[in-house]
Amino acid sequence: MLHFYEGQVRKFLTQFIRILSNFSVETGKASDGAINLRAVPVVYGDPTRQVANIIRNNSENALNYAPKIACYVRELNYDRERMQNPYHIEKQHLRERDVDADGNYTNQLGAGYTVEKVMPSPFRLEVTADIFSSNTDQKLQIMEQILYLFNPDFEIQKTDNYIDWTSLSYIELTGITFSSRTIPVGAESEIDVASLTFSMPIWLSPPVKVKKLGVVQKIIMSIYDDDGGIAKGLIDGQLASRSFITPNNFGLLVSGNQLRFLGSTGVNVKSGGDGFHTGARDPGTVVDDAFETFGPPLNWKLILDQYGKVINGTSQIRLEQPNGNQVIGTISTTTLDDTILLYSIDTDTIPSNSLTAVKKIINPATFNPGTPANGDRYLVINDVGDSTASFQSSTWGTLVAKVGDIIEYNSATGKWNIAFDASDPDSTQHYVTNLNTGIQYRFTGTEWVKSYEGVYTQGNWSIVLDGGYQQTEDADANDATTP
């Protein structure tokens, strides 16, 4: 074992000395009749020779100060009567409350930990407190204040850590020696010392093992490559093939702030594919198309009860994006429909817009912008403006635009111009928000699709549940996830 020192005996001694602190004695009355009090100092009773010499002002003729109390350890013995199984290990699974950026606790769950504690060793600590007094009245004043506290013992606490099973102990008064003087006193006037002996059962603990709980979010199997041989990625670090595993191969439909479970028999279900099916032209059809392909939505409760318990506002669903990033949000159940989970997205995980937002997605054949303002932008879903277009209109003037282009009005020239050319995009992954609906769209290189809404097939989404799984005592398995 590496060097370990936590000052455990020292902490018990500190608590003992604090108990005997803050007592006082009367030294007479002032002119106004008020009683004068003098605090009785408490010191640890075995100073080094050098310190003791300094206290005596480097002289053997200096008298010790009185009154005062000196404490010291008389014995420290192994307490075999309290010995328990020395090989016992206790595990505790703990959850912190989350902390915000300002260091304040929130109502969300934070990190999880497993604490493994080895059975501590029992000891009996015997301590003596010597009371130095210059007369009997001082001694009686001090002892009367101390003795009534021990009836028959006094409970102490080494630490306020509630998982520390050695923090509580008690101090028991075991003996009193009223005076150190002999009878007859004799000619010398030495300081009278009364000795109180105390006993306390304590525990000495070895270091504990603290493990931070993790959450398995994805299982990747890449042992074999496409040719059936051992994957070279095991050696050179590049994965030749991957298999993403989702329990029961379920898909997920994301529509607005609602999530639905999809079955696994649809023709679009595939392993390791892109797994994203979204539409920009008619946002309502994505739901209908999903049900036609995958079948009716499934009951969330029947599925989730197999893996854990949903904690509203804490449990998460993470959506894998084509660029490898994740859109993360918390989930909540609803009593209105067991096939729906409510989804609250962390806006910080949504991709940032690369293009200025558009007012609407329009069909230029039927839409009239009225009197446009400078900078008004629209995303068009039909060609406009040349001889091959399906229509021509004086509304757009000399504008020539194709499907997927974003057009913008310039009040200085009084004309509509192309702000984004879908037929000749750059290499940037472009995102834009429709201000009319609040929906963000992503340009695939050929068309605009919803940024993160749509269908996610197996391996492209994961759910993080907190607790509720009772089939194993392994702390690391208490959080259930998919895929």
Side-chain angles (χ1 to χ4, degrees):
M1 181 185 295
L2 296 177
H3 174 75
F4 170 75
Y5 174 71
E6 200 211 359
Q8 298 177 65
V9 175
R10 183 186 182 92
K11 291 178 181 178
F12 283 111
L13 285 175
T14 301
Q15 290 287 72
F16 176 73
I17 291 175
R18 286 178 178 173
I19 293 175
L20 302 181
S21 301
N22 299 319
F23 294 124
S24 58
V25 295
E26 296 181 8
T27 60
K29 293 184 179 180
S31 57
D32 57 356
I35 297 176
N36 293 327
L37 299 178
R38 173 180 292 178
V40 180
V42 182
V43 298
Y44 189 67
D46 59 349
T48 64
R49 185 181 299 271
Q50 182 177 5
V51 173
N53 195 41
I54 294 174
I55 294 176
R56 292 196 306 268
N57 296 321
N58 200 26
S59 173
E60 293 296 334
N61 297 322
L63 295 177
N64 286 325
Y65 173 85
K68 72 176 178 181
I69 301 175
C71 305
Y72 58 92
V73 176
R74 187 163 44 89
E75 291 182 6
L76 179 61
N77 299 314
Y78 187 83
D79 194 349
R80 193 172 183 83
E81 293 182 357
R82 291 190 297 121
M83 184 184 73
Q84 302 184 42
N85 181 6
Y87 304 107
H88 172 71
I89 297 177
E90 179 179 297
K91 290 185 178 181
Q92 287 183 286
H93 309 311
L94 309 172
R95 281 282 184 181
E96 289 183 336
R97 291 179 64 182
D98 197 16
V99 179
D100 58 22
D102 298 327
N104 301 317
Y105 285 106
T106 68
N107 59 356
Q108 305 294 324
L109 281 179
Y113 299 89
T114 293
V115 178
E116 296 184 12
K117 301 181 294 186
V118 179
M119 176 61 67
S121 302
F123 284 86
R124 177 71 62 168
L125 181 62
E126 307 288 345
V127 185
T128 297
D130 287 343
I131 302 174
F132 292 77
S133 58
S134 58
N135 55 64
T136 302
D137 184 61
Q138 280 187 352
K139 181 197 302 184
L140 294 176
Q141 290 184 51
I142 298 172
M143 292 184 65
E144 185 173 321
Q145 295 176 75
I146 295 176
L147 295 181
Y148 84 93
L149 295 176
F150 298 90
N151 187 22
D153 53 39
F154 188 92
E155 187 175 279
I156 61 173
Q157 184 172 350
K158 179 183 69 172
T159 175
D160 58 359
N161 187 341
Y162 80 98
I163 66 171
D164 182 3
W165 55 5
T166 68
S167 63
L168 290 178
S169 184
Y170 63 89
I171 301 175
E172 181 180 6
L173 178 62
T174 58
I176 302 174
T177 300
F178 188 78
S179 177
S180 62
R181 293 176 176 175
T182 59
I183 302 298
V185 175
E188 295 184 0
S189 58
E190 62 184 17
I191 295 178
D192 190 16
V193 179
S195 296
L196 307 181
T197 57
F198 300 87
S199 176
M200 68 179 83
I202 65 172
W203 300 90
L204 298 184
S205 298
V208 300
K209 182 186 293 185
V210 180
K211 295 189 297 184
K212 187 172 183 179
L213 302 183
V215 177
V216 179
Q217 298 179 9
K218 183 171 292 185
I219 302 173
I220 302 175
M221 296 188 304
S222 57
I223 298 177
Y224 299 101
D225 59 19
D226 295 336
D227 298 328
I230 297 296
K232 296 179 180 179
L234 294 178
I235 300 175
D236 59 20
Q238 296 182 357
L239 298 178
S241 62
R242 290 180 176 179
S243 295
F244 297 89
I245 299 175
T246 303
N248 299 327
N249 293 327
F250 287 121
L252 180 71
L253 172 62
V254 182
S255 178
N257 68 334
Q258 297 182 354
L259 305 175
R260 291 179 174 89
F261 248 147
L262 300 177
S264 58
T265 58
V267 297
N268 286 333
V269 174
K270 49 191 174 181
S271 175
D274 54 26
F276 308 99
H277 308 279
T278 57
R281 293 183 174 84
D282 188 357
T285 60
V286 66
V287 176
D288 299 332
D289 291 345
F291 293 159
E292 290 179 4
T293 303
F294 295 94
L298 306 178
N299 189 319
W300 277 101
K301 181 175 176 58
L302 296 178
I303 304 302
L304 295 180
D305 284 349
Q306 301 178 34
Y307 304 103
K309 179 181 179 182
V310 172
I311 299 180
N312 291 343
T314 299
S315 301
Q316 296 179 344
I317 279 187
R318 304 185 177 194
L319 309 175
E320 195 79 20
Q321 301 303 299
N323 60 2
N325 295 333
Q326 289 183 332
V327 172
I328 303 173
T330 57
I331 55 178
S332 302
T333 57
T334 172
T335 57
L336 300 178
D337 191 340
D338 288 337
T339 67
I340 292 177
L341 280 184
L342 301 181
Y343 195 43
S344 178
I345 294 179
D346 182 353
T347 55
D348 291 338
T349 64
I350 297 177
S352 301
N353 287 328
S354 59
L355 300 173
T356 304
V358 298
K359 294 185 67 176
K360 286 184 178 181
I361 299 175
I362 64 169
N363 183 347
T366 58
F367 180 76
N368 189 337
T371 303
N374 184 57
D376 282 357
R377 296 163 68 97
Y378 298 97
L379 192 157
V380 298
I381 60 172
N382 206 344
D383 297 345
V384 60
D386 65 350
S387 59
T388 62
S390 58
F391 78 97
Q392 294 187 14
S393 172
S394 59
T395 302
W396 309 104
T398 60
L399 174 67
V400 177
K402 301 292 184 180
V403 174
D405 289 350
I406 295 178
I407 61 176
E408 181 177 6
Y409 183 72
N410 188 334
S411 60
T413 61
K415 295 182 178 181
W416 291 91
N417 304 305
I418 295 178
F420 174 78
D421 188 354
S423 63
D424 186 24
D426 54 32
S427 59
T428 303
Q429 176 66 76
H430 287 294
Y431 295 88
V432 70
T433 297
N434 180 359
L435 296 177
N436 186 47
T437 61
I439 297 175
Q440 185 187 58
Y441 293 88
R442 170 175 56 88
F443 190 67
T444 65
T446 57
E447 64 176 341
W448 289 96
V449 298
K450 288 184 179 180
S451 171
Y452 58 86
E453 292 186 38
V455 175
Y456 292 80
T457 57
Q458 60 179 14
N460 294 293
W461 64 279
S462 61
I463 181 170
V464 182
L465 301 181
D466 302 289
Y469 190 69
Q470 303 296 333
Q471 295 184 6
T472 177
E473 295 183 0
D474 185 358
D476 294 332
N478 282 349
D479 291 339
T481 64
T482 69

